[in-house]
Amino acid sequence: MTPAPIYLDYNATAPIKPAVAEAVADALRIGANPSSVHRPGRRARQAIEAARDQVAALVAARPADVIFTSGGTEANNLALGAGGGRRLVVSAIEHDSVLAPASRIDPDRILVPALAEGTLDLAALDATLAACDTPSLVSVMLANNETGVIQPIAEVARIARTHGALVHCDAVQAAGKIMIDLAGLDVDLLSLSAHKIAGPAGVGALVVRAGMPFAAGQTGGGQELGRRAGTENLAGIVGFGVAAELAERDLDRADELVGWRDRLERRLVAAAPDASIFGAAAPRLPNTTCVMMPGVASELQVIALDLAGVAVSAGAACSSGKVAASHVLGAMGASASAAGSAIRISTGWASRQADIDRLVEAWAALHMRKKAA
Ligand code: PLP
């Protein structure tokens, strides 16, 4: 009998939790428009507002500041659009859902470099903002999707404030993996996505700090307090709420995941002494390892592991499923060949130690085969 596949690709999508799937199914059966004033409509509205409370609690925000969107990508597009003509200053290691709209909205947007360990170059940010003669909006993610490196957002915000800049933070990968406190981070805008925290795909949120001027990205209805028109994705939003509440409880498991991650990395490097871990010197998410096996292309590793029943990603697997050179690893100074031989292993709520054992065995076997070839 073929063993069940091992899933170690939580940063791509965290499989939905059973309680979330049940909540989604229940919400689908409500069958009413949350804007309707009758009883079924009011029930739908209540379900949405309960979810808003749950999502706000995950990041210690005010429920009224949460705008539901179709996911992290829309939240990032909306956030950058909220700059209202400000110069966009974005880190070079952002996800494409920040980099692409930044170039579209502001063709003169400025990229801030990263250091070799994977964190933003804060001195470069300070110098960029000092040299900028127009008001700006800075966008830096809380944790990187490829390396798991956690960015010093509170420090980014402090620097940005001294130059009068607004701050957006893409917290899509950090949510549910590390504690997030909106006020402590001192950002104006924060993006979230449900499917990264074991909720349904196609729903997310932009959290907008009270008092921040915000113009709707799409119009045509008064939903979300006029900030995002269109009938709400009731079932998706309810699932997001339940996922957020459960994710908050999962934060208790962070130390266990850090233990697994560190042991995993020691075993990988013991099996392949020429291997290295990207971002190992920086604070990182408890669940993410980006490892490089020199001379073996990322795609080949992903395929070999898949054949062995283990699902991981090439560091830079993008939405089309093709593997492009990783701009993140490139920004950290990795050569094209080093970046092209990295894979990302990411654990989550249903992972077990035995999954990691299988991965290490399969990866070490591939390394042995390559050495022998
Ligand atoms: N931001 C980061 C850091 C991500 O990793 C992703 C998804 O991979 C997104 C944004 C996009 O989120 P969504 O898939 O919900 O559009």
Side-chain angles (χ1 to χ4, degrees):
M1 206 177 72
T2 332
I6 304 285
Y7 187 80
L8 294 173
D9 200 11
Y10 278 71
N11 286 13
T13 283
I16 198 159
K17 289 179 180 163
V20 176
E22 262 171 50
V24 169
D26 288 347
L28 280 172
R29 284 190 278 267
I30 294 179
N33 191 317
S35 297
S36 299
V37 292
H38 46 59
R39 198 171 305 173
R42 291 202 306 276
R43 196 170 150 225
R45 166 63 47 211
Q46 262 170 10
I48 287 192
E49 296 316 317
R52 201 184 304 282
D53 290 349
Q54 289 164 313
V55 171
L58 182 64
V59 296
R62 291 186 337 153
D65 299 339
V66 173
I67 304 174
F68 287 117
T69 66
S70 64
T73 300
E74 185 191 335
N76 285 341
N77 273 260
L78 271 179
L80 298 181
R86 284 172 172 254
R87 166 84 340 108
L88 297 180
V89 175
V90 302
S91 93
I93 54 164
E94 292 305 298
H95 188 262
D96 280 343
S97 59
V98 165
L99 293 177
S103 308
R104 172 178 55 77
I105 294 166
D106 177 8
D108 296 323
R109 58 96 186 92
I110 302 170
L111 285 184
V112 182
L115 303 172
E117 64 186 36
T119 50
L120 187 73
D121 183 340
L122 292 172
L125 174 69
D126 194 25
T128 301
L129 292 174
C132 206
D133 47 13
T134 44
S136 36
L137 168 66
V138 174
S139 179
V140 179
M141 66 200 336
L142 185 46
N144 185 266
N145 45 302
E146 292 182 37
T147 60
V149 170
I150 298 171
Q151 301 300 318
I153 296 300
E155 190 56 13
V156 166
R158 194 194 59 73
I159 293 168
R161 300 296 176 213
T162 63
H163 298 285
L166 294 174
V167 184
H168 165 245
C169 178
D170 174 352
V172 162
Q173 286 293 346
K177 296 172 187 150
I178 55 173
M179 262 261 295
I180 301 180
D181 168 20
L182 190 69
L185 293 178
D186 191 24
V187 299
D188 301 289
L189 301 144
L190 184 110
S191 303
L192 298 170
S193 171
H195 73 112
K196 308 291 187 183
I197 60 166
V203 57
L206 180 65
V207 184
V208 183
R209 185 181 51 76
M212 158 95 196
F214 185 82
Q218 61 189 35
T219 48
Q223 291 89 352
E224 298 299 282
L225 299 176
R227 297 171 299 184
R228 200 255 185 190
T231 302
E232 298 90 337
N233 171 4
L234 173 62
I237 289 172
V238 166
F240 188 12
V242 175
E245 190 171 320
L246 297 177
E248 217 181 333
R249 293 188 212 152
D250 281 356
L251 291 175
D252 293 348
R253 280 193 67 204
D255 287 348
E256 185 188 3
L257 293 192
V258 167
W260 286 4
R261 183 199 67 195
D262 292 349
R263 266 197 309 281
L264 160 70
E265 294 178 359
R266 282 197 297 274
R267 290 170 72 189
L268 292 175
V269 176
D274 53 348
S276 58
I277 311 291
F278 286 104
R284 278 181 301 150
L285 293 177
N287 79 319
T288 309
T289 290
C290 183
V291 61
M292 190 254 294
M293 189 193 286
V296 186
S298 315
E299 303 92 300
L300 211 141
Q301 294 180 56
V302 170
I303 292 166
L305 291 171
D306 189 41
L307 289 172
V310 184
V312 299
S313 272
C318 65
S319 44
S320 65
K322 285 185 307 209
V323 179
S326 163
H327 68 275
V328 174
L329 303 182
M332 290 165 66
S335 66
S337 77
S341 53
I343 58 162
R344 177 186 68 193
I345 301 155
S346 48
T347 56
W349 67 270
S351 302
R352 298 159 314 149
Q353 178 61 54
D355 300 344
I356 293 175
D357 295 343
R358 274 267 295 285
L359 166 92
V360 174
E361 274 164 36
W363 194 81
L366 173 65
H367 185 257
M368 290 281 279
R369 286 202 298 278
K370 282 321 269 186
K371 236 173 61 182

